[in-house]
């Protein structure tokens, strides 16, 4: 009896391994170059000391922020793709899909930032908007760095329970809400002095974009 041989199809994970190595290297180099700052940054969820020390909007353009922004994009792109894979919408080893997700995230964040600058200038709240945006970037970056090692583990794990990405999303939302609470507490004087503009700013740029994004994704997958 002749045994029929079937070719074994192997998923290519080399691209992901390379990206994980690069992003972890960026985190390690950032930690080495900014030991004190990174130490305070790592305690962000337990203390608002980092937010108070590095509240100057010049920090938004520092190499510390830019380096970790790269990590943030890669980390979120991996998490989105892994979540899609867990719920049966995509393959976690599809590198073309990863590039599309990462590119979309990059353009979405940068476009949102530019629109915020335009709206802030129109409302004459440039300084407050810059500080508020720095606060958001800081906590968003913190979430990205936090879930990076989780992404690395989940990527090489075959059967990911659906509860894991849902739990991560829930924790991330809690951290985001906490960041808004800290921002409002830190800049309450500036907020209350221009409360009307702040509410318009919040509705137009912090609620509407994510609502329409959610609507677009759910409608597309229906």
């Amino acid at each position: 009896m002749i045994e029929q041989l079937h070719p074994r199809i192997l998923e290519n994970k080399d691209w992901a391994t390379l990206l994980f190595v690069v992003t972890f290297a960026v985190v390690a180099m950032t930690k080495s170059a900014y030991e004190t700052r990174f130490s305070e940054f790592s305690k962000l969820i337990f203390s608002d000391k980092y937010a108070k020390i590095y509240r100057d909007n010049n920090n938004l353009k520092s190499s510390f922020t830019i380096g970790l922004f790269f990590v943030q994009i890669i980390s979120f792109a991996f998490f989105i793709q892994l979540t899609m894979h867990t719920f049966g919408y995509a393959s976690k080893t599809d590198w073309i899909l990863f590039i599309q997700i990462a590119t979309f995230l990059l353009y979405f964040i940068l476009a949102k930032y530019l629109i915020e600058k335009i709206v802030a200038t129109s409302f004459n709240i440039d300084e407050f908007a810059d500080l508020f945006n720095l606060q958001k970037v800081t906590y968003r970056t913190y979430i990205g760095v936090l879930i990076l090692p989780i992404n690395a583990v989940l990527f090489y794990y075959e059967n990911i329970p659906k509860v894991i990405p849902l739990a991560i999303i829930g924790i991330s939302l809690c951290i985001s809400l906490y960041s808004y609470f800290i921002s409002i507490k830190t800049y309450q004087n500036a907020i209350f002095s221009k409360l009307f503009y702040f509410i318009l700013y919040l509705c137009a740029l912090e609620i509407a974009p994510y609502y329409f994004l959610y609507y677009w994704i759910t409608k597309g997958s229906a």
Side-chain angles (χ1 to χ4, degrees), residues 8-72:
R8 186 181 179 186
I9 300 175
L10 296 176
E11 294 180 320
N12 182 11
K13 298 180 180 179
D14 293 345
W15 64 271
T17 302
L18 178 61
L19 272 177
F20 280 126
V21 170
V22 170
T23 48
F24 278 114
V26 171
V27 173
M29 288 187 292
T30 304
K31 182 180 179 181
S32 177
Y34 301 90
E35 284 190 41
T36 303
R37 183 172 180 176
F38 194 90
S39 176
E40 295 298 336
F41 174 77
S42 64
K43 303 171 187 173
L44 195 62
I45 192 63
F46 306 107
S47 170
D48 61 349
K49 183 178 178 182
Y50 177 90
K52 290 179 179 178
I53 295 174
Y54 301 99
R55 57 185 295 178
D56 189 336
N57 55 25
N58 289 326
N59 289 302
L60 196 60
K61 302 174 184 178
S62 69
S63 56
F64 180 90
T65 304
I66 293 172
L68 292 185
F69 177 75
F70 165 78
V71 174
Q72 173 194 153

Side-chain angles (χ1 to χ4, degrees), residues 86-87 154 157 159-166:
T86 302
F87 288 90
L154 293 180
Y157 189 80
N159 298 311
I160 305 172
K162 293 182 179 180
V163 69
I164 292 180
L166 291 176

Side-chain angles (χ1 to χ4, degrees), residues 83-102:
T83 302
M84 292 174 68
H85 169 76
T86 302
F87 288 90
Y89 293 111
S91 169
K92 65 181 178 181
T93 57
D94 187 345
W95 62 272
I96 295 178
L97 176 61
F98 177 85
I99 292 175
Q100 291 173 336
I101 294 172

Side-chain angles (χ1 to χ4, degrees), residues 77-125:
F78 265 119
F79 178 72
I80 291 172
Q81 187 161 348
L82 285 169
T83 302
M84 292 174 68
H85 169 76
T86 302
F87 288 90
Y89 293 111
S91 169
K92 65 181 178 181
T93 57
D94 187 345
W95 62 272
I96 295 178
L97 176 61
F98 177 85
I99 292 175
Q100 291 173 336
I101 294 172
T103 303
F104 173 79
L105 282 175
L106 179 63
Y107 280 104
F108 178 78
I109 292 172
L110 292 180
K112 188 170 177 292
Y113 172 73
L114 290 175
I115 294 172
E116 285 176 355
K117 292 287 289 183
I118 295 171
V119 173
T121 302
S122 302
F123 291 165
N124 195 27
I125 52 172

Side-chain angles (χ1 to χ4, degrees), residues 128 182-195:
F128 163 73
I182 293 297
S183 298
I184 292 172
K185 180 182 176 182
T186 304
Y187 309 118
Q188 57 183 327
N189 292 333
I191 290 173
F192 288 127
S193 64
K194 297 183 178 180
L195 186 59

